Amino acid sequence: RKVAKEKNLDIREIIDSTLLLQDNAIKNANIQASVTGESFSVHMREGSCMQIFNNLIDNTVYLLSRKSENDTRKLKIILDSKTNSVYMSDSGPGVTQRNRDMIFEPFFSMKGEDWRGLGLYIVKEILDEKRWGIALVDNYDYPGLLKGANFKIVFSEDKE
Protein backbone atom coordinates (compact mmCIF):
# COMPACT_ATOMS: atom_id res chain seq x y z
CA ARG A 1 0.00 0.00 0.00
CA LYS A 2 1.39 3.36 -1.00
CA VAL A 3 1.46 5.95 1.78
CA ALA A 4 1.43 9.65 0.88
CA LYS A 5 4.64 11.46 1.75
CA GLU A 6 4.81 14.47 3.99
CA LYS A 7 5.69 17.72 2.27
CA ASN A 8 5.66 21.46 2.90
CA LEU A 9 2.15 22.82 2.45
CA ASP A 10 0.90 26.39 2.26
CA ILE A 11 -1.87 26.49 4.86
CA ARG A 12 -3.87 29.09 2.94
CA GLU A 13 -3.84 26.93 -0.20
CA ILE A 14 -5.07 23.93 1.81
CA ILE A 15 -7.87 25.97 3.38
CA ASP A 16 -8.87 27.47 0.01
CA SER A 17 -8.96 23.98 -1.56
CA THR A 18 -11.08 22.65 1.30
CA LEU A 19 -13.48 25.59 1.03
CA LEU A 20 -13.76 24.87 -2.69
CA LEU A 21 -14.64 21.23 -1.90
CA GLN A 22 -17.35 22.46 0.47
CA ASP A 23 -18.49 25.29 -1.84
CA ASN A 24 -21.93 23.83 -2.69
CA ALA A 25 -22.75 23.07 0.94
CA ILE A 26 -21.59 26.53 2.04
CA LYS A 27 -23.68 28.24 -0.66
CA ASN A 28 -26.74 26.05 -0.01
CA ALA A 29 -26.58 26.95 3.69
CA ASN A 30 -26.18 30.66 2.82
CA ILE A 31 -22.94 30.94 4.80
CA GLN A 32 -20.57 33.88 4.42
CA ALA A 33 -17.06 32.41 4.59
CA SER A 34 -13.90 34.48 4.90
CA VAL A 35 -10.19 33.80 5.36
CA THR A 36 -7.84 36.47 6.72
CA GLY A 37 -4.27 36.68 7.98
CA GLU A 38 -0.82 35.70 6.76
CA SER A 39 -0.24 32.18 5.51
CA PHE A 40 2.50 29.86 6.75
CA SER A 41 3.89 26.42 5.88
CA VAL A 42 3.26 23.12 7.60
CA HIS A 43 5.07 19.84 6.94
CA MET A 44 2.61 16.95 6.75
CA ARG A 45 0.58 14.78 4.40
CA GLU A 46 -1.74 16.87 2.23
CA GLY A 47 -4.74 14.57 2.70
CA SER A 48 -4.41 14.69 6.49
CA CYS A 49 -4.20 18.48 6.45
CA MET A 50 -7.29 18.76 4.25
CA GLN A 51 -9.11 16.28 6.51
CA ILE A 52 -8.59 18.61 9.48
CA PHE A 53 -10.26 21.55 7.77
CA ASN A 54 -12.88 19.47 5.97
CA ASN A 55 -14.12 17.98 9.25
CA LEU A 56 -14.25 21.38 10.95
CA ILE A 57 -15.98 23.07 8.00
CA ASP A 58 -18.42 20.18 7.68
CA ASN A 59 -19.46 20.61 11.34
CA THR A 60 -19.84 24.35 10.86
CA VAL A 61 -21.99 23.96 7.75
CA TYR A 62 -24.25 21.46 9.50
CA LEU A 63 -24.74 23.58 12.63
CA LEU A 64 -25.15 26.89 10.78
CA SER A 65 -27.66 25.35 8.34
CA ARG A 66 -29.91 24.66 11.36
CA LYS A 67 -30.13 28.37 12.20
CA SER A 68 -33.10 30.47 11.10
CA GLU A 69 -32.89 31.90 7.58
CA ASN A 70 -33.02 35.35 9.21
CA ASP A 71 -29.90 34.71 11.29
CA THR A 72 -26.46 35.65 10.04
CA ARG A 73 -24.44 32.58 9.09
CA LYS A 74 -20.71 33.23 9.15
CA LEU A 75 -17.56 31.15 9.04
CA LYS A 76 -14.39 33.08 9.75
CA ILE A 77 -10.95 31.54 9.37
CA ILE A 78 -8.03 33.54 10.75
CA LEU A 79 -4.42 32.60 10.01
CA ASP A 80 -1.87 33.64 12.63
CA SER A 81 1.60 33.18 11.11
CA LYS A 82 3.31 34.41 14.29
CA THR A 83 2.15 31.33 16.22
CA ASN A 84 1.52 28.96 13.26
CA SER A 85 -2.12 28.81 14.33
CA VAL A 86 -5.46 28.85 12.57
CA TYR A 87 -8.65 30.02 14.24
CA MET A 88 -11.93 28.59 12.97
CA SER A 89 -14.84 30.70 14.16
CA ASP A 90 -18.54 30.59 13.40
CA SER A 91 -21.77 32.35 14.28
CA GLY A 92 -23.51 29.11 15.24
CA PRO A 93 -24.84 27.94 18.60
CA GLY A 94 -21.38 27.27 20.03
CA VAL A 95 -20.54 24.48 22.46
CA THR A 96 -22.35 24.35 25.79
CA GLN A 97 -20.34 24.26 28.98
CA ARG A 98 -21.41 20.68 29.71
CA ASN A 99 -20.18 19.48 26.29
CA ARG A 100 -16.83 21.28 26.27
CA ASP A 101 -14.87 18.38 27.79
CA MET A 102 -16.43 15.78 25.48
CA ILE A 103 -16.24 17.28 21.98
CA PHE A 104 -12.95 15.58 21.08
CA GLU A 105 -14.06 12.17 22.40
CA PRO A 106 -14.86 9.42 19.88
CA PHE A 107 -18.57 8.90 19.17
CA PHE A 108 -19.65 12.17 20.81
CA SER A 109 -21.82 14.29 18.51
CA MET A 110 -23.87 17.44 18.92
CA LYS A 111 -25.61 16.62 15.63
CA GLY A 112 -27.86 13.92 17.09
CA GLU A 113 -27.81 10.17 17.40
CA ASP A 114 -27.68 9.46 13.65
CA TRP A 115 -24.13 10.82 13.46
CA ARG A 116 -20.93 8.92 14.19
CA GLY A 117 -19.22 11.64 16.21
CA LEU A 118 -15.75 11.04 14.80
CA GLY A 119 -14.95 14.32 13.02
CA LEU A 120 -13.32 16.26 15.86
CA TYR A 121 -11.80 13.09 17.29
CA ILE A 122 -10.06 12.44 13.94
CA VAL A 123 -8.87 16.06 13.77
CA LYS A 124 -7.37 15.76 17.25
CA GLU A 125 -5.72 12.41 16.43
CA ILE A 126 -4.09 13.82 13.27
CA LEU A 127 -2.74 16.81 15.19
CA ASP A 128 -1.65 14.73 18.21
CA GLU A 129 0.35 12.46 15.90
CA LYS A 130 2.45 15.51 14.94
CA ARG A 131 2.54 16.78 18.55
CA TRP A 132 0.41 19.75 17.50
CA GLY A 133 -2.96 20.61 18.95
CA ILE A 134 -6.52 21.84 18.77
CA ALA A 135 -8.48 23.58 21.50
CA LEU A 136 -11.90 25.05 21.93
CA VAL A 137 -11.41 28.74 22.76
CA ASP A 138 -13.71 31.60 23.69
CA ASN A 139 -14.50 34.51 21.39
CA TYR A 140 -12.59 36.91 23.64
CA ASP A 141 -9.38 34.83 23.37
CA TYR A 142 -8.39 36.32 20.01
CA PRO A 143 -9.49 39.51 18.19
CA GLY A 144 -12.21 39.01 15.58
CA LEU A 145 -13.65 35.69 16.72
CA LEU A 146 -17.41 35.23 16.44
CA LYS A 147 -19.83 34.21 19.21
CA GLY A 148 -20.34 30.57 18.11
CA ALA A 149 -17.84 27.71 18.19
CA ASN A 150 -14.20 28.79 18.10
CA PHE A 151 -11.27 26.44 17.59
CA LYS A 152 -7.57 27.19 17.68
CA ILE A 153 -5.48 24.76 15.63
CA VAL A 154 -1.78 24.98 16.49
CA PHE A 155 0.75 23.70 13.94
CA SER A 156 3.69 23.96 16.30
CA GLU A 157 5.08 21.88 19.16
CA ASP A 158 5.18 25.07 21.24
CA LYS A 159 1.44 25.18 22.05
CA GLU A 160 1.51 28.36 24.14
Side-chain angles (χ1 to χ4, degrees), residues 87 100 103-104 127 133-138 150-154:
Y87 291 86
R100 288 178 81 87
I103 60 168
F104 297 109
L127 291 164
I134 182 169
L136 185 64
V137 296
D138 294 308
N150 293 290
F151 293 93
K152 179 182 183 181
I153 304 105
V154 182

Side-chain angles (χ1 to χ4, degrees), residues 31 59-68 71-74 89-97 99-100 110-111 136-139 146-151:
I31 296 170
N59 283 349
T60 297
V61 168
Y62 176 85
L63 294 168
L64 287 178
S65 69
R66 301 299 180 262
K67 288 183 77 172
S68 159
D71 288 335
T72 302
R73 298 175 179 188
K74 289 185 178 181
S89 182
D90 68 47
S91 62
V95 180
T96 63
Q97 195 62 41
N99 290 336
R100 288 178 81 87
M110 293 184 354
K111 295 178 180 177
L136 185 64
V137 296
D138 294 308
N139 65 322
L146 303 170
K147 293 189 187 291
N150 293 290
F151 293 93

Side-chain angles (χ1 to χ4, degrees), residues 15 34 39-40 67 104 107 139:
I15 291 169
S34 66
S39 191
F40 54 90
K67 288 183 77 172
F104 297 109
F107 311 113
N139 65 322

Side-chain angles (χ1 to χ4, degrees), residues 33-83:
S34 66
V35 183
T36 60
E38 292 289 317
S39 191
F40 54 90
S41 278
V42 296
H43 190 77
M44 67 184 303
R45 292 184 308 271
E46 186 172 9
S48 295
C49 194
M50 287 188 75
Q51 178 89 55
I52 290 167
F53 294 104
N54 192 62
N55 287 5
L56 288 163
I57 291 168
D58 190 57
N59 283 349
T60 297
V61 168
Y62 176 85
L63 294 168
L64 287 178
S65 69
R66 301 299 180 262
K67 288 183 77 172
S68 159
E69 283 294 323
N70 299 328
D71 288 335
T72 302
R73 298 175 179 188
K74 289 185 178 181
L75 165 62
K76 191 173 192 179
I77 302 170
I78 304 169
L79 311 178
D80 184 348
S81 61
K82 290 184 181 90
T83 62

